[in-house]
């Protein structure tokens, strides 16, 4: 029985990250450790920001949402990857593959746009401080948050719509440990050149433009901070440096994967592993170590619970 779009493939076989059993065991242990850090780390950030009245600035509002996106993003690939390491046959249904692909780009696109919003917030706070409370009021922050969720949804639904119109009649082996556009699209039983170009334009060009725009905006901010003599200069430099590190960690792998023709390279799986499993860990670690306000608030929160 065929699906509505003419697809005969009902499932995809995932070839996984590696065929070596010893390496699989090592990666399994590493992912499990990372996963046990990702969720508590991100939920601790969310709990700290929501419970501390001193962390009500837009910066912390967006940081809490970034932690939520990271926690959600970590559910897309890592749990199934852990299960697949213990399975002899790594199989994902066609519909399950499409759902995984949708949420991967929905949350990933939303997170990329959130970093753009956070850069805008820092620009207004540092370069236009007198207008900050007017521009970044609670209603504006909620509107920006809604816009980035909508932007992530539109970005993802375009990816899914293009894939759903492709026929899949075999083979059905995905040379990866999860479903993503570059691998899935190559299994289609038709010429995919036009679709690939549309995918590169939707994901690759958008990612590259956001990355260059973010670097340019932070360059302007850093130049403004360097030329000022304000008391908050070191704090502003620390915050911007943290954001730049997050930007490099997120957009570097994404640019490598999506801004080129969909041809397999030896580094693809390693870069994808870093982007989908390791990167979400970096947000709580980097922000906890570099943001003094969040770190102090976490200590107070944890000390209260320990005393109780």
């Amino acid at each position: 029985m065929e699906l509505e779009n003419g697809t005969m493939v009902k499932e995809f076989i995932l070839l996984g990250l590696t065929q070596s059993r010893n390496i699989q065991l090592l990666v399994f242990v590493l992912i499990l450790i990372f996963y046990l850090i990702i969720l508590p780390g991100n939920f601790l950030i969310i709990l700290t920001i929501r419970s501390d009245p001193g962390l009500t600035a837009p910066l912390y509002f967006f940081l809490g949402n970034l932690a939520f996106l990271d926690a959600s993003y970590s559910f897309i690939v890592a749990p199934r990857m852990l299960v697949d390491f213990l399975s002899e046959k790594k199989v994902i249904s066609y519909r399950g593959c499409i759902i995984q692909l949708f949420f991967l780009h929905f949350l990933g696109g939303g997170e990329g746009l959130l970093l753009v919003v956070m850069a805008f917030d820092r620009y207004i706070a540092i370069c236009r401080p007198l207008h900050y409370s007017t521009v970044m009021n609670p209603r504006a922050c909620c509107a920006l948050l809604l816009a980035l969720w909508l932007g992530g949804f539109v970005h993802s639904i375009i990816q899914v719509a293009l894939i759903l119109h492709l026929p899949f009649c075999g083979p059905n082996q995905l040379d990866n440990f999860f479903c993503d556009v570059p691998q899935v699209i190559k299994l289609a039983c038709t010429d995919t050149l036009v679709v690939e170009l549309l995918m590169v334009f939707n994901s690759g060009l958008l990612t590259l433009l956001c990355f260059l725009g973010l670097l340019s905006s932070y360059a302007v901010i850093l130049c403004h901070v360097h030329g000022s003599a304000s008391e908050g200069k070191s704090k502003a430099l620390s915050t911007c440096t943290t954001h730049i590190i997050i930007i490099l960690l997120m957009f570097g792998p994404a640019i490598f994967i999506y801004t080129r023709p969909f041809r397999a390279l030896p580094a693809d799986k390693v870069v994808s592993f870093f982007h989908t499993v390791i990167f979400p860990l970096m947000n709580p670690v980097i922000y906890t170590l570099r943001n003094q306000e969040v770190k102090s608030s976490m200590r107070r929160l944890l000390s209260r619970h320990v005393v109780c």
Side-chain angles (χ1 to χ4, degrees):
M1 181 177 175
E2 296 185 0
L3 298 177
E4 292 180 1
N5 67 343
T7 295
M8 291 183 290
V9 170
K10 302 293 179 62
E11 62 184 23
F12 292 106
I13 298 172
L14 302 172
L15 298 183
L17 184 64
T18 177
Q19 298 302 312
S20 170
R21 196 61 188 170
N22 291 331
I23 297 178
Q24 284 184 8
L25 181 61
L26 175 63
V27 174
F28 176 85
V29 174
L30 288 175
I31 293 175
L32 188 60
I33 294 172
F34 290 149
Y35 199 70
L36 292 176
I37 295 173
I38 289 170
L39 291 183
N42 282 292
F43 286 133
L44 181 59
I45 290 176
I46 297 170
L47 181 62
T48 300
I49 291 172
R50 290 186 63 86
S51 62
D52 192 335
L55 300 179
T56 57
L59 170 65
Y60 302 110
F61 171 74
F62 293 128
L63 175 57
N65 281 278
L66 183 63
F68 174 76
L69 280 170
D70 276 327
S72 302
Y73 194 81
S74 68
F75 278 108
I76 301 172
V77 175
R80 184 178 184 87
M81 193 176 180
L82 288 172
V83 173
D84 283 343
F85 275 130
L86 303 177
S87 305
E88 200 66 37
K89 191 177 181 182
K90 304 169 179 60
V91 176
I92 185 171
S93 68
Y94 175 83
R95 287 186 176 88
C97 182
I98 296 299
I99 291 171
Q100 186 181 63
L101 193 149
F102 169 78
F103 281 104
L104 186 75
H105 286 271
F106 175 42
L107 296 175
E111 188 162 349
L113 293 174
L114 178 55
L115 292 178
V116 174
V117 170
M118 292 176 75
F120 176 72
D121 171 76
R122 289 301 84 202
Y123 172 79
I124 299 296
I126 295 171
C127 301
R128 299 289 186 270
L130 297 178
H131 302 285
Y132 185 71
S133 59
T134 303
V135 176
M136 300 302 295
N137 59 70
R139 179 177 291 184
C141 291
C142 290
L144 288 170
L145 188 65
L146 180 61
L148 69 89
W149 279 102
L150 182 61
F153 176 80
V154 171
H155 160 71
S156 184
I157 208 68
I158 291 173
Q159 304 280 86
V160 171
L162 291 172
I163 293 252
L164 287 175
H165 281 84
L166 295 176
F168 294 92
C169 51
N172 66 337
Q173 290 187 335
L174 279 175
D175 189 17
N176 211 336
F177 54 93
F178 69 107
C179 284
D180 200 8
V181 172
Q183 292 78 36
V184 173
I185 201 173
K186 300 309 294 184
L187 297 181
C189 304
T190 186
D191 182 19
T192 60
L193 178 61
V194 175
V195 178
E196 285 187 44
L197 292 175
L198 291 173
M199 293 287 193
V200 169
F201 179 78
N202 182 37
S203 289
L205 185 60
L206 180 63
T207 301
L208 185 59
L209 289 177
C210 285
F211 177 70
L212 294 176
L214 284 167
L215 288 185
S216 300
S217 65
Y218 278 111
V220 172
I221 293 172
L222 291 174
C223 288
H224 180 86
V225 171
H226 183 72
S228 67
S230 61
E231 295 181 359
K233 182 176 180 178
S234 60
K235 180 182 175 181
L237 285 172
S238 177
T239 302
C240 290
T241 303
T242 301
H243 289 191
I244 291 171
I245 292 172
I246 294 291
I247 288 166
L248 292 174
L249 289 172
M250 178 176 180
F251 283 94
I255 289 171
F256 177 83
I257 295 170
Y258 300 114
T259 58
R260 59 182 173 83
F262 296 153
R263 300 291 181 269
L265 294 177
D268 283 351
K269 290 185 181 181
V270 176
V271 175
S272 295
F273 175 71
F274 180 84
H275 187 55
T276 57
V277 179
I278 304 300
F279 171 73
L281 172 67
M282 300 303 171
N283 175 35
V285 171
I286 292 173
Y287 274 107
T288 301
L289 293 177
R290 296 188 63 87
N291 192 298
Q292 292 299 323
E293 285 81 3
V294 175
K295 194 159 54 175
S296 300
S297 183
M298 281 183 179
R299 289 199 193 100
R300 290 194 296 271
L301 180 66
L302 292 173
S303 63
R304 285 202 302 270
H305 283 280
V306 170
V307 171
C308 293

